[in-house]
Amino acid sequence: MPHPKRKISKSRRDKRRTHYKATAPSLGGCPNCGEMKLTHRACPSCGYYGGRSMFIPKS
Amino acid sequence: MRHNVKGRKLGRTSSHRKATMQALTTSLLKHKRIKTTLAKAKELRTFAEKLITKAKKGDLHSQRQVMDYLKDKDVVKELFSEIVERIGDRPGGYTRVVKLGQRFGDAAHMALVELVDYNEIATAKEEKQKEERDAKAKEKEEKEKAEQVEEAPVAEIPPETEKK
């Protein structure tokens, strides 16, 4: 069976990994209460999504 | 290739999966709005909506077919009378899934599933529950306060414990 001839050096390994990046979550203002919230999710502070109350927040 | 592969296994055997779906549907029809993981919520849509469509027919045979899935007689009764009446002419799409973000503990994506025509009713119910909860908490707090006042002069607690 074929095998790698050389061990991949730290440098080559790390160069490959330069493209592994974390992306920032997409945030937007809640149209109901103005707090920042994740897009496409109900607002955790007021419980609204799409102009509709989905749940009543605890506090 | 995953061509023509429908549905999710949810990490369960087929019987376990069936039981999960039956339980979730029963809860949804009973409470009109439930919170679950996103995968289960999405899977629940097809399962629950098929039963509701069946219930719209309203005859004895369809009732028996629904009874095969839902083991709670009261829920089936409600489905065939109140829920079907409320849904009316809606051609499918009786449920709504709204994402909620991730849960602490296992970071699972959570979602709310609700019957579309029950949005306002479910919200009003939740509001009432919250008010009751708040009132109870307040009552408890006041009671504790009163107890503390009673205890203080009798036991002559040093200032350190009094703070508590």
Side-chain angles (χ1 to χ4, degrees), chain B residues 129-145:
Chain B
Q129 277 174 349
K130 194 194 173 245
E131 269 167 25
E132 276 168 19
R133 207 166 49 225
D134 285 352
K136 226 178 212 175
K138 214 175 174 188
E139 210 173 86
K140 203 180 161 194
E141 213 171 79
E142 271 168 18
K143 208 175 165 192
E144 270 172 17
K145 231 181 204 174

Side-chain angles (χ1 to χ4, degrees), chain A residues 18-38:
Chain A
T18 57
H19 293 286
Y20 299 176
K21 290 166 194 160
T23 51
S26 55
L27 292 171
C30 171
N32 185 57
C33 69
E35 286 274 324
M36 292 295 274
K37 71 170 194 71
L38 284 166

Side-chain angles (χ1 to χ4, degrees), chain B residues 14-24:
Chain B
S14 101
S15 55
H16 186 187
R17 198 158 48 236
K18 192 177 156 202
T20 306
M21 282 300 131
Q22 289 176 355
L24 283 172

Side-chain angles (χ1 to χ4, degrees), chain A residues 2-57:
Chain A
H3 274 308
K5 191 168 186 176
R6 296 250 176 274
K7 176 179 177 172
I8 300 254
S9 67
K10 281 176 212 159
S11 163
R12 292 196 74 170
R13 180 200 66 199
D14 293 348
K15 269 196 248 171
R16 180 175 66 240
R17 292 183 184 170
T18 57
H19 293 286
Y20 299 176
K21 290 166 194 160
T23 51
S26 55
L27 292 171
C30 171
N32 185 57
C33 69
E35 286 274 324
M36 292 295 274
K37 71 170 194 71
L38 284 166
T39 51
H40 305 111
R41 280 162 192 79
C43 176
S45 55
C46 68
Y48 269 68
Y49 185 71
R52 210 176 270 118
S53 177
M54 293 308 297
F55 64 93
I56 310 295

